[in-house]
Amino acid sequence: SNELTQPPSVSVSPGQTASITCSGDKLGNKYVAWYQQRPGQSPVVVIYQDIKRPSGIPERFSGSNSGNTATLIINGAQAMDEADYYCQLWDSSTVLFGGGTKLTVL
Amino acid sequence: EVQLMESGGGLVQPGGSLRLSCTASGFTFSSYPMIWVRQAPGKGLDWVSYITSGSSTIYYADSVKGRFTISRDNAKNFLDLQMNSLRADDTAIYYCARVKWFGESPPLDYWGQGTLVTVSS
């Protein structure tokens, strides 16, 4: 099925590692991007093609993708990382977004 | 500096029409595919439409197919979205975004600030 499933929420303590998953059928055979959306702001790409980090994105953001699950990892989460995160992929002539995960840093 | 600025949002009655525009600056607009993404209040991101740099290829989400039309004017650096037969579930912030390249799995590397469309009687 052409759906991407994310947990609605993830919590992490400051300085700890946050993992946000995105599940879909044979997701590992496709490239996944991740977007961060802070409250009231437009989305920003933080990872693309599974593991690539755009210039200006902190090194604490990384990604992986295998099997049916892609994962966004934030090492040493900071208060500024509190946001909604969306996975996304291109599937032939469509663009799919996951439902989004609210990351709380507390 | 790359900038994308949407305009044209507002309140429209069900069944009505609205035309959104996205003005691009700071890059060679004619070289990039573009995309419209929307976000209903308090909800997630929802892809609307895609257009290649030369308008040769256009895709629509099933939810808007036959009602929305994407177009672009590369001479004026404009991306448009003509929305007809609007429904309440079209209510959302509409973002235009640049597609970083034409090919496999490009990221959406720049986004506008969005324009709010409200469909209500």
Side-chain angles (χ1 to χ4, degrees):
Chain A
S1 93
N2 293 335
E3 288 185 359
L4 299 176
T5 301
Q6 298 182 235
S9 63
V10 168
S11 295
V12 65
S13 299
Q16 299 303 302
T17 297
S19 296
I20 299 173
T21 58
C22 175
S23 299
D25 187 41
K26 299 177 182 176
L27 194 55
N29 293 341
K30 302 166 186 170
Y31 280 130
V32 172
W34 290 91
Y35 297 85
Q36 175 194 69
Q37 187 179 33
R38 293 188 175 113
Q41 296 188 17
S42 302
V44 172
V45 59
V46 294
I47 293 290
Y48 66 99
Q49 290 191 328
D50 294 342
I51 61 171
K52 297 179 180 179
R53 193 174 56 249
S55 61
I57 300 302
E59 290 184 7
R60 63 180 180 273
F61 288 87
S62 63
S64 66
N65 186 13
S66 179
N68 294 322
T69 303
T71 305
L72 174 68
I73 301 160
I74 308 172
N75 284 309
Q78 301 182 9
M80 67 172 65
D81 300 330
E82 190 161 287
D84 293 326
Y85 290 85
Y86 297 90
C87 58
Q88 174 260 322
L89 62 79
W90 295 81
D91 187 3
S92 62
S93 60
T94 64
V95 177
L96 292 176
F97 287 98
T101 298
K102 181 177 181 59
L103 177 68
T104 302
V105 182
L106 48 69
Chain B
E1 178 192 5
V2 172
Q3 289 194 331
L4 298 169
M5 184 168 297
E6 302 90 343
S7 60
L11 175 64
V12 61
Q13 292 189 340
S17 298
L18 212 56
R19 188 176 188 90
L20 306 183
S21 288
C22 171
T23 304
S25 62
F27 66 103
T28 305
F29 179 70
S30 60
S31 296
Y32 291 85
M34 297 292 294
I35 193 170
W36 286 97
V37 176
R38 67 185 180 182
Q39 186 171 34
K43 302 298 184 182
L45 302 175
D46 184 33
W47 167 67
V48 175
S49 186
Y50 163 90
I51 186 169
T52 50
S53 59
S55 305
S56 60
T57 300
I58 288 173
Y59 300 137
Y60 296 100
D62 287 344
S63 57
V64 307
K65 205 172 292 183
R67 300 187 299 123
F68 289 13
T69 302
I70 191 172
S71 62
R72 63 190 296 162
D73 184 334
N74 286 341
K76 296 181 179 178
N77 290 357
F78 279 133
L79 173 73
D80 288 340
L81 185 69
Q82 176 66 43
M83 304 186 296
N84 299 329
S85 302
L86 283 161
R87 312 185 301 222
D89 62 358
D90 294 318
T91 294
I93 296 173
Y94 285 73
Y95 297 99
C96 65
R98 190 179 83 166
V99 181
K100 190 168 183 176
W101 61 72
F102 174 76
E104 187 174 22
S105 301
L108 311 178
D109 62 344
Y110 287 95
W111 296 62
Q113 85 290 346
T115 187
L116 177 62
V117 172
T118 303
V119 184
S120 175
S121 54

